[in-house]
Amino acid sequence: MRVVIIGPAYPLRGGLATYNERLARAFRDAGDEVRLVTFSLQYPSFLFPGQTQFSTEKAPQDLPIEVSINSVSPVSWWRVGNRLRREKPDLIVFRFWLPFMGPALGTIARLISRNRHTRIVAITDNVIPHEKRPGDRPLTRYFLSACHGFVTMSRSVLADLRRLHFNQPARYQPHPLYDNFGPLKPKSEALKALNLSADFQYILFFGFIRAYKGLDLLLEAFADARLSALPVKLIIAGEFYEPAAPYDALIQQYKLEERLVLATDFIPNERVADYFCAADLVVQPYKNATQSGVSQIAYHFERPMLVTDVGGLSELIPDGEVGYVTKAQPKAIADALVDFYQNQREQQFTAGVREQKKQFSWGEMITALKAVAN
């Protein structure tokens, strides 16, 4: 098939771009002709909470990437949509994660559909966003109504689609492994790369810091006296996408300064392996969620996990086999962390992770996307 993936890609940075580029390679491995179409302007700067939207890494040399969509310029939507309408690719895969993108992506999809040949499917990370704003539903509906089918990476998003009365073909397919951050490395090597002492053990919180991700719950849990008595430190690796002051206040309140490793800048792809391989356990203390790419990085690096029982997180983390599923409460999180270290669960859970990771295939994602397109 001739396939076009529309969504974040280089020179943009972040998990969505990484995923879309890996998906393109999976299509290519399946024998399809593929290219990516991404944004020349993804967000106006005043709407972007991070330091920069752009990657500092080298461009991928093996992927054709066209930078042409301006999210706030209808002229660019018309140009891209009409050009793809004339080109008649067999399949367009949109990545939809935010209602703000509804007008741009919905208009492009409608224009392409006029050729009556191209099938349009969407990987829908969310259809009801974590952080709600006025106008979310009509913007989301405008895009979703232009699609022929959907793939969701959590059952909760699939349920949301049906709740919004979208009855196009839709399929749940778990998030594939993020296997593009390099191979596993020994813990001792990762600790050395991060200049961390081998006298301590390490828990990892990884990813952009936003309110719904529950870092405050983890800090409160980590203040538990049982954990204070253990030679364990918490690594916080990820850029703040909101003010840091409330978290700084918690750190000072509980006197956690000496027990934390703060790496609160954007983590480039070439450093991801070090953070995961240095950790004993990856913690996702989210207050709400759909799915998380962090879980699939942890699976790739064969790290046990703790997740909270919200959204689709628990679908991929069998409790007691690869880690813990807890309530989104500091006491419940602390109890699990204490159990992990006092009962030396790392080896047991790592074996479970190695078994579970076999099911998360990029080939299965390609099959799902083609299935809902028919």
Side-chain angles (χ1 to χ4, degrees):
M1 299 181 73
R2 290 185 303 124
V3 180
V4 176
I5 300 169
I6 297 181
Y10 189 90
L12 300 173
R13 69 177 197 182
L16 293 173
T18 298
Y19 182 107
N20 292 341
E21 290 163 16
R22 181 62 183 85
L23 180 65
R25 294 183 179 101
F27 271 112
R28 187 184 59 203
D29 292 344
D32 299 304
E33 177 189 319
V34 62
R35 79 178 195 271
L36 297 109
V37 177
T38 190
F39 297 89
S40 57
L41 176 68
Q42 182 176 218
Y43 305 112
S45 58
F46 70 90
L47 292 179
F48 183 70
Q51 297 172 13
T52 178
Q53 301 178 51
F54 297 100
S55 174
T56 58
E57 299 173 16
K58 293 180 180 179
Q61 298 300 306
D62 61 330
L63 295 174
I65 301 175
E66 172 192 319
V67 181
S68 57
I69 302 171
N70 182 318
S71 66
V72 296
S73 170
V75 172
S76 86
W77 313 344
W78 279 80
R79 285 175 179 164
V80 172
N82 282 317
R83 179 168 44 73
L84 290 172
R85 172 181 57 82
R86 293 190 297 269
E87 291 178 9
K88 293 187 176 180
D90 301 306
L91 177 64
I92 299 276
V93 179
F94 282 93
R95 191 71 184 272
F96 185 75
W97 71 102
L98 193 67
F100 174 78
M101 297 298 172
L105 301 185
T107 299
I108 292 169
R110 282 171 166 75
L111 291 167
I112 296 168
S113 291
R114 292 179 184 176
N115 66 26
R116 300 192 177 184
H117 170 78
T118 303
R119 303 299 291 176
I120 293 173
V121 302
I123 300 173
T124 50
D125 292 75
N126 305 293
V127 294
I128 298 174
H130 303 301
E131 298 160 325
K132 297 178 177 60
R133 298 174 180 85
D136 281 348
R137 287 213 173 185
L139 294 177
T140 297
R141 285 184 175 278
Y142 179 71
F143 170 72
L144 297 179
S145 61
C147 296
H148 298 123
F150 307 104
V151 169
T152 74
M153 293 183 289
S154 77
R155 291 187 175 90
S156 63
V157 174
L158 184 60
D160 288 340
L161 278 170
R162 298 313 186 207
R163 196 175 298 117
L164 294 173
H165 305 294
F166 287 96
N167 297 314
Q168 299 99 312
R171 181 166 164 175
Y172 161 68
Q173 182 63 41
H175 194 307
L177 284 182
Y178 269 138
D179 54 5
N180 51 315
F181 293 112
L184 283 72
K185 58 175 63 177
K187 186 176 290 186
S188 58
E189 184 181 326
L191 291 173
K192 185 177 180 181
L194 296 174
N195 293 317
L196 296 178
S197 171
D199 295 335
F200 294 90
Q201 294 173 287
Y202 297 90
I203 296 164
L204 176 65
F205 175 96
F206 185 88
F208 297 134
I209 299 168
R210 307 193 80 145
Y212 75 87
K213 293 192 175 184
L215 177 57
D216 55 332
L217 302 181
L218 180 54
L219 291 171
E220 291 183 44
F222 202 61
D224 188 290
R226 296 169 295 170
L227 290 168
S228 301
L230 297 173
V232 176
K233 291 192 175 187
L234 169 61
I235 302 171
I236 301 173
E239 184 180 351
F240 279 101
Y241 266 35
E242 63 180 16
Y247 302 99
D248 292 337
L250 283 173
I251 291 168
Q252 293 171 14
Q253 176 184 343
Y254 294 114
K255 299 180 172 57
L256 297 176
E257 291 90 345
E258 298 301 316
R259 299 174 55 214
L260 302 181
V261 177
L262 298 178
T264 51
D265 290 316
F266 181 80
I267 308 300
N269 286 353
E270 66 266 19
R271 301 306 304 275
V272 170
D274 293 326
Y275 285 98
F276 278 82
C277 293
D280 308 313
L281 183 73
V282 178
V283 180
Q284 298 174 76
Y286 295 5
K287 298 175 182 178
N288 62 74
T290 47
Q291 68 284 315
S292 172
V294 173
S295 298
Q296 299 303 52
I297 305 175
Y299 266 120
H300 171 62
F301 289 114
E302 298 180 353
R303 293 293 79 210
M305 286 164 269
L306 183 157
V307 302
T308 45
D309 190 11
V310 297
L313 292 182
S314 63
E315 295 169 3
L316 304 183
I317 314 297
D319 186 35
E321 294 181 34
V322 305
Y324 303 92
V325 178
T326 77
K327 293 181 179 179
Q329 299 171 353
K331 175 66 163 54
I333 295 168
D335 287 346
L337 295 176
V338 170
D339 176 79
F340 180 78
Y341 284 105
Q342 287 188 346
N343 294 297
Q344 300 180 6
R345 305 282 192 195
E346 183 178 4
Q347 186 174 357
Q348 168 197 344
F349 288 159
T350 299
V353 168
R354 287 178 182 144
E355 186 60 31
Q356 284 289 324
K357 70 183 284 189
K358 297 174 184 177
Q359 66 183 297
F360 303 119
S361 154
W362 286 95
E364 289 298 314
M365 178 58 71
I366 298 300
T367 298
L369 289 165
K370 290 181 178 179
V372 300
N374 293 326

